[in-house]
Amino acid sequence: MKALFLPAIVVACLLSFSASAADKTSPTIEDLWEIIQKQQAEIDALKSQQQDTAKQAADADEKAEAAVVAIEESGSATSAKASWADKTTIGGYGELHYNNFDNDDIDDEIDFHRFVLFFGHEFTDRLRLISEFELEHALSGDGKNGEIELEQAYIEYDIFDNLQTKGGLFLMPVGILNETHEPVTFYGVERNDVENIIIPATWWEAGAGLNGYYENGISWDLALTSGLAIPTSEDNAFRIRSGRQKVSEAIANDLAYTGRLKYTGIQGLELAGTLNYQSDASQKSGDGLDDGLLFETHAIYQTGPFQLRALYAGWDFDGDAVKAAGEDRQSGWYIEPSIRPWQSLGFYARYEDLDGARTRDKFKQWEIGANYWPYEDVVLKVDYRDRNVDTVDVAAKSVDFSAFDLGIGYQF
């Protein structure tokens, strides 16, 4: 009996203790509600914080993406600009002349003869633009001496590595100076008169051309272009240079055809010949000046410091009026030996014989001078000319003269 009573007392004590403990720790409804409110507040705070963090992350991602796009666009634009710049060429040349004459009928003169800018652009490895913009005599406009001229503007395409075609406004493939006339490339303050009066440089037309070249040094050019419009009356009658239309609303009733053959297969040697046919040299029918044919040939030979240039150019015109005036044949030639003992200094002499359309364009002239290159693309020039006109024409001031000339030129 005693054994059973003790466990019962122990169990009763434990139950009593548990009940007492439960009474002390169990929360009331108010306590539970307060706990729930606190937990809900904490949950709301966590949700708000999470939303803020997500928004900040999204904003950061958006800014990062915008920065990447900006960098890519900037890089693309920079790349495009760099690519455009790499494929575009800008250059030019210019020359200032001073002419002092010993003839009182001719005024001494100082003239910034030419200011030229060149722009080229490669669209692809085979397709390119070549253009040249020129201001002559420093000032242009009504009553001014100068002109603003577009001397070249054509598209050139490489059909093959040794065959090219072009279309637009381009220099005619004739003579020595017409295509290469930067002042650092030739002797004399003024360009030679044969390639001014007879050829007449600088001479450009509009049309299409084709040229090819071979490893043996042979090259050729063909061109179909606008033609000359040589006047048939007044002081400039039958004067070739006055027939240049310069592709300014040029009359194109009759076209011109040009072919050139050149050989440079021997080092230091250039031989070339050009034929140019004008189907109507005046662009007018029935005026007494019909078709015309130009034949030009030249040779350049250089060995060491010595160089020799020689050129002949002559026209043969058909028509009653030009024959009656005795101007159906116009021609000229020159020979020019030179020596350049130092890279910076060269000397030359030139003899010219011309038979042009006007009285003052029929003369013989001696010339000597020197070029000094302080830098390969800058030149200082000095020369002395002595001209003897075949027939004196005082009214036209076409009398003999001697002249002392100074010049400065550059290219870049």
Side-chain angles (χ1 to χ4, degrees):
M1 184 74 179
K2 184 176 179 180
L4 294 173
F5 180 75
L6 286 174
I9 292 175
V10 171
V11 169
C13 289
L14 289 173
L15 290 173
S16 175
F17 176 78
S18 297
S20 176
D23 291 338
K24 292 182 179 179
T25 60
S26 296
T28 64
I29 293 176
E30 290 78 4
D31 292 337
L32 291 174
W33 178 247
E34 183 178 355
I35 291 170
I36 290 171
Q37 287 183 322
K38 287 181 179 180
Q39 288 178 345
Q40 185 62 45
E42 290 176 357
I43 291 171
D44 292 341
L46 288 173
K47 285 183 178 180
S48 177
Q49 184 177 359
Q50 185 178 16
Q51 291 174 352
D52 291 341
T53 302
K55 186 176 183 304
Q56 290 175 2
D59 291 343
D61 288 342
E62 184 177 350
K63 291 179 180 179
E65 184 177 354
V68 170
V69 171
I71 292 172
E72 289 177 350
E73 290 178 350
S74 175
S76 177
T78 302
S79 177
K81 289 179 181 179
S83 177
W84 180 89
D86 290 341
K87 294 181 179 181
T88 302
T89 303
I90 299 175
Y93 69 89
E95 51 189 326
L96 173 69
H97 300 166
Y98 169 70
N99 310 113
N100 183 287
F101 298 94
D102 71 350
N103 189 316
D104 293 337
D105 289 331
I106 306 175
D107 293 328
D108 298 338
E109 185 176 86
I110 187 166
D111 177 37
F112 202 101
H113 202 138
R114 298 175 181 90
F115 177 81
V116 180
L117 292 176
F118 169 87
F119 300 93
H121 183 76
E122 287 193 358
F123 301 104
T124 69
D125 291 340
R126 291 184 175 272
L127 187 66
R128 65 194 64 87
L129 165 71
I130 296 174
S131 67
E132 191 173 333
F133 184 81
E134 178 173 351
L135 169 63
E136 287 201 347
H137 307 298
L139 188 64
S140 70
D142 292 340
K144 306 302 180 182
N145 295 318
E147 295 179 328
I148 294 177
E149 300 172 332
L150 185 63
E151 194 165 298
Q152 297 187 77
Y154 65 90
I155 298 296
E156 185 176 61
Y157 177 70
D158 299 337
I159 301 173
F160 302 110
D161 291 340
N162 66 338
L163 182 65
Q164 297 174 323
T165 185
K166 60 186 173 185
L169 184 157
F170 53 85
L171 297 170
M172 300 298 288
V174 57
I176 298 175
L177 292 183
N178 199 57
E179 293 177 293
T180 306
H181 44 252
E182 292 77 10
V184 299
T185 64
F186 65 89
Y187 284 100
V189 174
E190 303 292 344
R191 300 173 182 176
N192 73 80
D193 294 285
V194 178
E195 294 189 85
N196 177 288
I197 295 171
I198 303 299
I199 284 189
T202 305
W203 180 16
W204 61 87
E205 299 288 355
L210 187 69
N211 66 281
Y213 53 92
Y214 307 98
E215 293 182 358
N216 60 7
I218 295 176
S219 62
W220 54 268
D221 296 84
L222 295 173
L224 173 63
T225 65
S226 53
L228 298 171
I230 299 174
T232 58
S233 61
E234 300 182 349
D235 183 54
N236 290 327
F238 310 117
R239 180 177 181 248
I240 300 159
R241 189 171 185 83
S242 298
R244 298 182 306 167
Q245 301 191 78
K246 300 186 177 181
V247 197
S248 176
E249 297 184 350
I251 302 171
N253 295 326
D254 295 275
L255 300 178
Y257 309 85
T258 305
R260 177 176 66 181
L261 187 65
K262 182 188 290 188
Y263 176 70
T264 56
I266 299 175
Q267 185 175 3
L269 178 66
E270 176 179 310
L271 300 174
T274 297
L275 288 175
N276 174 269
Y277 176 72
Q278 303 282 324
S279 53
D280 189 331
S282 67
Q283 300 292 325
K284 296 179 181 179
S285 61
D287 62 354
L289 176 59
D290 301 326
D291 61 334
L293 179 66
L294 166 67
F295 170 68
E296 179 275 331
T297 184
H298 68 262
I300 304 174
Y301 180 65
Q302 181 162 356
T303 175
F306 298 96
Q307 186 185 83
L308 179 67
R309 293 187 175 193
L311 181 144
Y312 169 83
W315 284 92
D316 188 357
F317 294 107
D318 193 16
D320 295 337
V322 68
K323 288 182 177 181
E327 304 300 348
D328 54 319
R329 294 181 181 272
Q330 301 180 40
S331 63
W333 63 272
Y334 73 85
I335 185 169
E336 179 190 289
S338 64
I339 182 171
R340 192 169 176 175
W342 301 281
Q343 188 66 24
S344 61
L345 185 62
F347 305 91
Y348 78 102
R350 182 190 302 141
Y351 178 76
E352 299 182 73
D353 190 330
L354 277 95
D355 183 11
R358 303 181 302 180
T359 301
R360 56 185 175 274
D361 292 337
K362 303 176 188 293
F363 60 85
K364 297 174 177 61
Q365 178 172 289
W366 282 98
E367 182 175 337
I368 59 172
N371 282 14
Y372 171 64
W373 293 268
Y375 178 72
E376 61 181 353
D377 290 330
V378 177
V379 65
L380 304 177
K381 301 183 178 185
V382 58
D383 65 54
Y384 176 81
R385 295 179 287 159
D386 184 71
R387 177 176 298 186
N388 294 292
V389 179
D390 295 344
T391 302
V392 175
D393 185 350
V394 178
K397 298 183 180 179
S398 181
V399 293
D400 299 345
F401 70 79
S402 296
F404 170 74
D405 307 307
L406 294 172
I408 183 170
Y410 64 87
Q411 71 175 9
F412 64 93

